[in-house]
Amino acid sequence: DVTCSGTATGFGGGKLLQVVNNPTACTATQDISSTTTWTDFTNLTLSITPSAATSKIFIVVNACLKYQVASAADFQAKIRIQKTIGGSTTDVIMNGIRLYDYSSAGNYWVGMQTMMKLDAPNTTSAITYKVGGYMGVGTQFSINKDSTGENESTLTAFEIGA
């Protein structure tokens, strides 16, 4: 048990300095059909300018995704967050997705995929973060293709002070 009868002191760092969301709603359905190139998700991008080079940027993406595979087949895809600083683009995080149908009926999955990463860009220049997808094999890979019609994917950046 902890009792505090005043102001807590001596706890440095971890200050939330700013929060930025993707400026335009990401609600349109987008199919990723290429098995040779990455596709950027429309409106799942944002820019943030850190107030200090020592700041960290906590990136959170919630993507409403649909994966579909034909009967007795394999589905493989990837989603990633990239950052661009001064014309140089690098991957921040990448996740693989795999679905296999063991029956003869085919299968699909629809739901939110969340990715989080604490980035240390070491800059005070503007940073653009974007989210994209790639389908290696499969029948369908889509963003915001949920039959309920209530689909919105989001990208949020939190600047955390040192």
Side-chain angles (χ1 to χ4, degrees):
D1 291 344
V2 175
T3 303
C4 181
S5 59
T7 302
T9 59
F11 300 97
K15 298 167 189 71
L16 182 60
L17 302 178
Q18 65 175 312
V19 179
V20 177
N21 290 307
N22 49 305
T24 305
C26 180
T27 56
T29 295
Q30 185 177 359
D31 294 321
I32 291 94
S33 56
S34 176
T35 58
T36 57
T37 59
W38 285 87
T39 301
D40 293 337
F41 295 143
T42 303
N43 295 334
L44 211 49
T45 184
L46 62 79
S47 291
I48 187 170
T49 303
S51 57
T54 55
S55 292
K56 306 276 193 279
I57 307 295
F58 184 58
I59 300 293
V60 180
V61 62
N62 287 303
C64 182
L65 300 177
K66 178 180 181 179
Y67 323 130
Q68 188 170 349
V69 64
S71 63
D74 196 12
F75 174 89
Q76 296 176 31
K78 295 178 183 179
I79 62 171
R80 71 179 176 193
I81 301 172
Q82 287 187 308
K83 71 178 172 188
T84 301
I85 303 172
S88 177
T89 301
T90 57
D91 290 341
V92 175
I93 186 172
M94 185 182 315
N95 281 351
I97 302 156
R98 187 151 193 192
L99 177 68
Y100 188 84
D101 179 60
Y102 289 97
S103 70
S104 59
N107 207 337
Y108 72 92
W109 179 88
V110 177
M112 294 301 284
Q113 171 104 22
T114 301
M115 291 176 24
M116 295 177 271
K117 179 71 175 185
L118 185 62
D119 190 24
N122 194 29
T123 187
T124 56
S125 298
I127 307 166
T128 299
Y129 290 96
K130 66 181 179 179
V131 183
Y134 171 88
M135 182 173 68
V137 294
T139 306
Q140 184 181 55
F141 181 32
S142 305
I143 186 168
N144 299 327
K145 194 165 194 164
D146 180 0
S147 61
T148 66
E150 297 183 15
N151 316 313
E152 183 172 359
S153 297
T154 60
L155 177 63
T156 307
F158 302 84
E159 180 184 2
I160 310 297

